[in-house]
Amino acid sequence: MRFKRMLAAAAFGALLSGATTAQAGVVFFQDFESLTPNTLSLTTLPGFTVSGSTVDVVGAVNPYGITASSNVIDLDGTPGPATILMSSAYAFNAGDIVSLSFLLGGAQRGSVSDNFKFGANFSGVIPVTGLTSFGVIGNIGCGACSLGPNNENNYNLAGNTPFTNSGMSFTAAGAGTIAFYFGTSSRDNIGPLLDNVKLDISAGVPEPSTWAMMLIGFAGLGLAARRRRRMADAAA
């Protein structure tokens, strides 16, 4: 009886734990609003490491003919181009759902097209399932595959591309860490515009075997309660 009570308690604790950790967990968010609008030639950004050259901050009100609702980052700075990588790598466990979203727009100055590169640095070769993407990077996907330390995709982004919510998500089949990066190889000081970068790492839905153990635990708890009632009735 003691074993069944312990099993039921463990199952109940696992259920409560799952109900908590399964909620969305934003581990990174940067909207660049802490920066001074229309600042050129930045070599540092909050939350990112800047490499290659510099980036520019473009404000909602600016002299560049850009329509933006808030601060955005021009990845082809003055001078450019640059790549920005999340300064920290974020850990995930097997079964976690990793989701990234960001707002991306074209240069908005003339009809120029620019290269946009998007990638992820993993802490090794990580198996994933249910990899999907949307927006500008909507061509990424797989049912089950492995992603290595440096996964990069390149796009030709038209200058008149409107700000588009873009991103990707997958379920990790192994533990590891990840850091995303964004950049351009454009060298005309007019590049892709980036904003609202958000990374979410959340616990996935428990496996069927986990639910089965929970149900067994609750059944054992009910059986123990009925047995105690019968013993109490017999002693009365």
Side-chain angles (χ1 to χ4, degrees):
M1 183 183 299
R2 180 177 299 175
F3 172 75
K4 289 180 178 179
R5 287 200 297 268
M6 291 173 62
L7 180 62
F12 185 63
L15 180 60
L16 291 179
S17 174
T20 300
T21 58
Q23 302 304 310
V26 176
V27 298
F28 179 91
F29 178 74
Q30 184 54 254
D31 60 4
F32 309 109
E33 290 307 297
S34 64
L35 300 173
T36 302
N38 306 319
T39 302
L40 307 182
S41 307
L42 289 178
T43 57
T44 60
L45 281 179
F48 290 94
T49 299
V50 180
S51 64
S53 189
T54 69
V55 297
D56 298 334
V57 182
V58 178
V61 178
N62 61 81
Y64 314 118
I66 295 174
T67 301
S69 60
S70 61
N71 282 356
V72 297
I73 296 300
D74 186 343
L75 294 170
D76 188 5
T78 308
T83 297
I84 62 173
L85 166 69
M86 288 180 178
S87 301
S88 299
Y90 295 88
F92 55 84
N93 296 311
D96 285 352
I97 299 172
V98 179
S99 302
L100 174 78
S101 65
F102 54 92
L103 197 63
L104 182 69
Q108 298 191 27
R109 286 155 285 185
S111 59
V112 64
S113 292
D114 293 295
N115 161 264
F116 170 71
K117 62 180 179 181
F118 161 75
N121 287 338
F122 288 87
S123 56
V125 177
I126 306 295
V128 304
T129 61
L131 174 62
T132 59
S133 61
F134 58 93
V136 173
I137 63 169
N139 63 320
I140 303 173
C142 72
C145 55
S146 294
L147 302 177
N150 188 351
N151 290 267
E152 183 173 301
N153 291 270
N154 285 266
Y155 304 87
N156 185 41
L157 191 66
N160 60 357
T161 301
F163 281 102
T164 304
N165 191 37
S166 304
M168 63 176 291
S169 66
F170 60 84
T171 299
T177 65
I178 191 169
F180 289 97
Y181 64 90
F182 312 88
T184 183
S185 61
S186 172
R187 294 181 180 274
D188 56 7
N189 296 343
I190 299 175
L193 305 171
L194 180 72
D195 196 10
N196 294 348
V197 180
K198 181 174 73 171
L199 175 62
D200 182 293
I201 299 178
S202 304
V205 177
E207 295 291 330
S209 59
T210 303
W211 285 113
M213 285 298 294
M214 291 179 183
L215 292 175
I216 291 172
F218 287 127
L221 185 61
L223 179 61
R226 288 196 298 273
R227 186 171 298 172
R228 285 196 299 272
R229 284 198 298 270
R230 286 199 297 268
M231 292 174 64
D233 292 342

